[in-house]
Structures are given as structure tokens and as C-alpha cells.
Amino acid sequence: MSSSIEIKENVRLAPLTTLQVGGNAKYFVTAENEFAVIEALAFAREMGLAVFILGGGSNLLISDSGFDGLVVQMKMDRSDARKWAEEDGYLDGSGLEIDEPGSRRFCVGAGESWDDFVKFCVENDFAGVECLSGIPGSVGGTPIQNVGAYGQEVSESILAVRCIDTVNLRPIRITNVDCKFAYRSSIFNTSEVGRYVVYDVTFLLKYQGSPKVVYKDLIEHFGERRPSLTEVREAVLNIRRSKSMVIDADDPNSRSAGSFFKNPIVSCDKLAELQAEMGNIPNFPFGDAVKIPAAWLIEKSGLHKGFSLGNVGISSNHTLAIINRGGATANDIFVLKDEIQRTVADKFGIMLDPEPVFVGF
Ligand SMILES: Cc1cc2nc3c(=O)[nH]c(=O)nc-3n(C[C@H](O)[C@H](O)[C@H](O)COP(=O)(O)OP(=O)(O)OC[C@H]3O[C@@H](n4cnc5c(N)ncnc54)[C@H](O)[C@@H]3O)c2cc1C
């Protein structure tokens, strides 16, 4: 088989990320199907190169020195995924298969825009991902940290994830259970980091299902009324826009990687200790522990919305977002991240865990 991949050298990565910082990739390949992924991985193996898989670049901090290996940008779209899916017998001729009464499977290529897929589902009356409207990035990026927002997580609708296993360069189908999804985590960002390249994701969605309205802001917005999927999508998008949590070229506060820190999970004993010293601290039950809003901890540490440090800062619309105010370097962002972590740790004894992936540091 002739080579279907074009390997470029010294490709700038900053424009491919939402933070718009970072150096070059030594080698760079755009993969439009899973065969291209296999070829790219084989090339890297032959050359002894490290590999980084790039989706939509919305959850990354790439170092100023870039990545000294091969970056594989995932560009496979739904039609490629559908072709494979039909060969595997997952879908019928229309590309959709009734799975159980009222539900359907959608097999979506990793390179598809996540929000285009959500919009398609909402417009066609499929429930299960409506609260995840407006999250930037690719479909293939969503299982990695089990994206979640407004009371919904992508793991609630994922049936299986198909990947190329970098160990043997063969396809493998990993079921929902085996992905070991949890809060902002899965095997892909914990026990098996870098092992699997996701080339499509199969979702099971409920036809004419009810939207999920469990998040405080949404409950307050709709009151007693049962909203449609479209109304929930619109409400989520409006809330997100007010926090600069949708990418908008005209909104400098959206030049971010979304929330930069996860909400820390602490034991009930630790919470009681803090509350004895500092009074009430907002928290949410999480198994036998509690989750404390990272935004609250940052604000109470004295770092407020709009805080700036040279070319970087905290979004004026969202305490959790570190933004590139223009002309920032990755190092500038790293320094502010450290400053926030140190300040919160000094005040509360809690070390905030960053959410984005650090590349080339
Ligand atoms: C404004 C804004 C708002 C956001 N809001 C939210 C939110 O509400 N909830 C939330 O959970 N996240 C949110 N995010 C973070 C981010 O959008 C998601 O995590 C998204 O799913 C990342 O996908 P991506 O394609 O951009 O991945 P990238 O940023 O390109 O990559 C992230 C990680 O996933 C890996 N990866 C990507 N694609 C693949 C693949 N096909 N196979 C294997 N590994 C892969 C990469 O190697 C990297 O480790 C937000 C980000 C921004 C900028």
C-alpha cells in the first residue's frame, strides 16, 4: 500500500490550540482515517520518536519549546467512521441503528467537531449530550477526560470507543465500563496515558428523550417548566457565553483552555477542619468525600476575576480560566498557574490539580 500520509517538519502548534501559545512540532501529520494513524505510528516507531495526539487543542498547554517528536492531528470525519462502522456491522445502511426501542447508536469520527455533533443530536431530537453544548474540541477528545458540564458527563452516553493500540498498532474496541470513566478521568488520562489513539466514538442516545435539567443554574432558569432539548442547548450556550466559556474570536476572555483547575476532592475530616477555622465552605457530596469549588478557593485566596500578570490573567468572566491576554508565552501561563496553586495551598492547604494536558514541559 502506498503511503497516504504527508509528514511535515517544524509546524507551529500555537494556532492549533485555544490558548494560542507553544512552540513547533518537530514532525507533524494530519490523519484523516485510522490507516493514516497506523502509518504515522509506524513512522514514529521507526524513527524512535515520541508521539502526541492532537484533537481540537482546547485542553492543552504546549511548551514554548514545542514538541520534539511527531504530532498526529486527528481529522477523521463522520463519513470515515461510518464506513468502518458498516464494515464492522455496527450500523445499518442509513448509518444509524436502532439499538433498543427509542434509542440509537451514533458512530462518530474522532476528528469531528464536538459541538457540531451536539447540535446535530439536539436538532434531530436525540437526548443525552444537550448539556455539553458549546464545549470546544473534537469528538475524540471527549472521552479522554470524560468531559462534563451542567450536570452531564459524556460517559453517560458513550457505548464504546474505538482506538488504535500503540503497542501493536491494531484496532481495539473499548467498552464504556473498560474506559473506567470518573470525574474528569478515564483510562486514557490515567492508567493508559498515550497508549490508545481514539479514531471513533459510539454514542447511545435517546430519541425524543427528556433533557437533563439537574444543574442549579438550569433549574433556576426553567423553574417548573419542562424545556425542550433545543431550549436546554440555548440556555447552556447563553450561560457559557456569559462566562466566556465558548470560543469567540471577538472575546479575549475565551482565549483559554476552559477551566484550568479541577474541583478538589477532600475528605469530610479535612472539610470539618477547614470549616472550624474559616467558617462555612461551599461543598458538594462526592462519594464518601466532598468536592469544593476551585473557583471559590481561588477567589477566597485573594485572586479575583480580571487579575492580570503581564500578558496573562484570570478571565474577567470566570475565575477558573487562565487567559492569554495577547502575546503571552506558555511560560507566562505556567507562572500564573504556579502562583494560583501556591496562593491557594498557603491559604487552605489544598493543592489544585490542573485540568489541561501539559505538552513538552
Ligand atoms: C472555552 C473552553 C471551555 C471548555 N469547557 C469545558 C467543559 O465545560 N467541560 C469539560 O470537560 N471541558 C471543557 N473544556 C476543555 C476541552 O474543551 C475538552 O477537554 C475537550 O474535550 C478537549 O478536546 P480536544 O479535541 O480539544 O483535545 P486536545 O486539547 O487536542 O487534547 C487533550 C488531550 O486529549 C488527547 N486526545 C485528543 N484527541 C485524542 C484522540 N483522538 N485519541 C487519543 N487522545 C486524544 C490529547 O493527546 C490530549 O492529551 C473547555 C475548553 C475551553 C477552551
Side-chain angles (χ1 to χ4, degrees), residues 152-203:
Q152 195 165 53
E153 289 184 334
V154 75
S155 56
E156 293 165 38
S157 56
I158 288 180
L159 259 189
V161 174
R162 293 197 299 175
C163 309
I164 301 298
D165 184 345
T166 59
V167 170
N168 54 18
L169 304 190
R170 295 174 68 87
I172 173 173
R173 182 175 186 268
I174 305 177
T175 61
N176 180 304
V177 170
D178 291 334
C179 290
K180 298 201 170 68
F181 290 119
Y183 169 61
R184 294 298 179 274
S185 84
S186 68
I187 57 165
F188 307 110
N189 69 354
T190 56
S191 56
E192 301 288 358
V193 177
R195 173 162 178 182
Y196 298 110
V197 183
V198 177
Y199 64 83
D200 68 32
V201 183
T202 304
F203 299 89

Side-chain angles (χ1 to χ4, degrees), residues 110-169:
E112 288 278 316
S113 147
W114 169 253
D115 194 52
D116 284 356
F117 174 60
V118 174
K119 185 165 177 275
F120 166 87
C121 295
V122 168
E123 283 173 354
N124 290 281
D125 228 356
F126 287 97
V129 288
E130 60 284 348
C131 298
L132 306 178
S133 293
I135 297 180
S138 64
V139 165
T142 60
I144 308 302
Q145 70 157 5
N146 180 22
V147 297
Y150 302 97
Q152 195 165 53
E153 289 184 334
V154 75
S155 56
E156 293 165 38
S157 56
I158 288 180
L159 259 189
V161 174
R162 293 197 299 175
C163 309
I164 301 298
D165 184 345
T166 59
V167 170
N168 54 18
L169 304 190

Side-chain angles (χ1 to χ4, degrees), residues 18 52-60 74 110 134-142 144-149 184 196-199 240 244-247 254 256-259 355 357:
T18 53
F52 178 73
I53 304 300
L54 176 67
S58 63
N59 208 24
L60 299 179
M74 303 300 277
I135 297 180
S138 64
V139 165
T142 60
I144 308 302
Q145 70 157 5
N146 180 22
V147 297
R184 294 298 179 274
Y196 298 110
V197 183
V198 177
Y199 64 83
R240 294 186 74 96
S244 298
M245 281 289 108
V246 284
I247 298 292
S254 76
S256 76
S259 298
E355 199 177 292
V357 175

